[in-house]
Amino acid sequence: MSLTVLAASLGMDVSDPAFWMPLLLFAVWAVIFLAGVIQGGLELGMGVLLLASSVRAQFQILDVLKQWRYAFLAWLAIGMMLADLAFPAAWGALLVPLKMPLLLLLGGMTLRQLALERWLRVDTGRQLFWSRVVGAGALLAILGQGMAVGLFAVQFEQSWAAWWVVAFMSVGLVATYCALAMTWLTQGVQGLLQRRIARWARILLRWSVAGVVAVSMALAINNPGVLFRWGQGGALLAALVFWGCLLLAIILLEMLLRRVSKLPARWKRLPFVLEAAWIVAVLGGLFYSIFPYLVLDEITLWDASADVAALRSIACIGLFGVVIAGIVYVVRWLNQLRRNGAVPQAADRDQA
């Protein structure tokens, strides 16, 4: 559907600020959301890996986490503040059915943050305990996110069948974040440890794909409009190309992880970049499926948005700061990636 047709269906014109300003702020929020998912997925995935890592591997992972311990919280706070200010009418409809996932997310993030700060300050003998608490907090935060996505996909249904689907999606999100973290970690280790991490990344990647398929099926079954959007006219060909590209990316990622120890140094970041791009593509498909709704078949962007005067204030005051902060953050993140990769070099004898 073109923007002109969409605007006409709402009784507006494309040039009307009441039409394009909510669309612009939603696009900005979507960019913040995607950046937060990649950053949060990396941080939380590494946190979960602490629950199954050796002592030395934990120190290597935590050495990475402490450098970015406030990054995901910043993206989360900015995203929630922008959504609250720009689309206040959607909060009442979403916060009530999502109160449990949000409590898990915020509780897990709080536990993770406090434990990480405590880990930095205690002596070596007690750091092992606090590293496990960091991992437990990260796991709770991921499960909260997975539960939120699952409940949205089943349209907040409360049956036992729906909760089984939600649980499966939560497991799939844990696998996705852990696979993302492992593709990052393969850059900074060598030998046996690198091959073990790559093998586990391949296993988790399959669970991640299963979770994406589950979300897609739940959306299609619970909302025929989503299935119609992907299946009508030329959209069917685009859908086949889209899913074909996702499948090709998974196959290529599997091949790269199998041969990661033989990759040239300049290619060792490719698995992480490909995994991150795959996640962004899946989320892009999710946005396409539900657009222009914030609550499927009930509340659109324009139903939920604040008045034009408020949107102007939000755009003028916040947009510039958000963009500048994002640029500074990305530059710093890329600089960190260039300087020390993922973690210090590990010996073959280290255990994952």
Side-chain angles (χ1 to χ4, degrees):
M1 181 185 295
S2 67
L3 292 181
T4 304
V5 174
L6 179 59
S9 68
L10 295 169
M12 302 179 185
D13 188 78
V14 174
S15 61
D16 188 350
F19 174 76
W20 62 263
M21 289 194 72
L23 201 59
L24 173 63
L25 288 173
F26 178 77
V28 173
W29 176 84
V31 172
I32 293 172
F33 178 81
L34 293 174
V37 166
I38 298 302
Q39 177 66 49
L42 183 58
E43 291 183 14
L44 297 177
M46 285 187 178
V48 174
L49 295 181
L50 293 172
L51 298 174
S53 301
S54 66
V55 174
R56 182 164 182 174
Q58 288 182 20
F59 276 89
Q60 293 171 339
I61 293 171
L62 286 162
D63 187 58
V64 178
L65 288 180
K66 70 181 182 182
Q67 300 173 40
W68 296 101
R69 58 187 181 275
Y70 301 117
F72 180 52
L73 286 176
W75 285 115
L76 185 64
I78 292 172
M80 293 186 70
M81 181 175 64
L82 179 60
D84 185 25
L85 294 175
F87 308 105
W91 279 96
L94 289 174
L95 286 183
V96 173
L98 292 180
K99 59 181 181 297
M100 185 183 299
L102 289 176
L103 284 174
L104 274 178
L105 171 61
L106 295 177
M109 289 301 302
T110 302
L111 180 63
R112 168 192 173 275
Q113 197 66 27
L114 292 176
L116 185 56
E117 295 294 334
R118 188 63 179 166
W119 180 87
L120 292 171
R121 289 167 173 77
V122 299
D123 55 72
T124 307
R126 292 191 292 171
Q127 282 184 325
L128 178 60
F129 168 77
W130 288 108
S131 67
R132 302 293 190 192
V133 178
V134 171
L139 181 60
L140 288 176
I142 299 176
L143 291 175
Q145 293 180 55
M147 187 181 296
V149 174
L151 286 172
F152 188 86
V154 299
Q155 293 190 283
F156 311 118
E157 186 181 338
Q158 298 296 316
S159 66
W160 280 106
W163 277 107
W164 276 110
V165 173
V166 170
F168 187 77
M169 293 178 187
S170 300
V171 172
L173 189 62
V174 172
T176 300
Y177 282 178
C178 289
L180 181 67
M182 286 180 170
T183 56
W184 172 281
L185 292 172
T186 55
Q187 303 171 62
V189 296
Q190 294 178 344
L192 178 60
L193 179 58
Q194 186 184 58
R195 291 192 294 273
R196 286 179 176 176
I197 291 175
R199 184 174 69 250
W200 276 105
R202 297 201 314 271
I203 294 171
L204 291 171
L205 190 62
R206 293 157 194 167
W207 281 95
S208 175
V209 172
V212 170
V213 173
V215 171
S216 303
M217 292 181 64
L219 276 173
I221 292 172
N222 287 277
N223 193 291
V226 173
L227 186 60
F228 177 76
R229 168 169 290 188
W230 284 95
Q232 65 172 343
L236 179 59
L237 178 60
L240 293 175
V241 172
F242 175 76
W243 283 99
C245 289
L246 289 182
L247 179 60
L248 183 62
I250 291 297
I251 293 173
L252 180 57
L253 187 54
E254 174 85 14
M255 294 171 62
L256 288 172
L257 289 172
R258 284 183 179 274
R259 296 167 175 79
V260 67
S261 60
K262 300 178 182 178
L263 291 177
R266 63 181 180 276
W267 283 28
K268 289 190 181 295
R269 293 171 185 164
L270 190 55
F272 171 75
V273 173
L274 190 58
E275 171 71 6
W278 185 82
I279 293 173
V280 170
V282 169
L283 291 173
L286 179 62
F287 285 154
Y288 173 78
S289 298
I290 66 175
F291 183 81
Y293 291 99
L294 294 178
V295 178
L296 283 171
D297 294 334
E298 294 183 21
I299 301 177
T300 66
L301 298 179
W302 296 273
D303 295 330
S305 66
D307 59 76
V308 174
L311 292 177
R312 284 198 183 100
S313 300
I314 295 167
C316 293
I317 297 173
L319 187 58
F320 180 77
V322 168
V323 171
I324 295 301
I327 292 173
V328 172
Y329 167 77
V330 169
V331 170
R332 182 183 173 191
W333 192 81
L334 291 175
N335 183 59
Q336 183 68 30
L337 177 65
R338 186 183 68 252
R339 280 192 305 154
N340 61 0
V343 292
Q345 294 286 327
D348 290 356
R349 65 179 179 275
D350 292 338
Q351 300 295 318

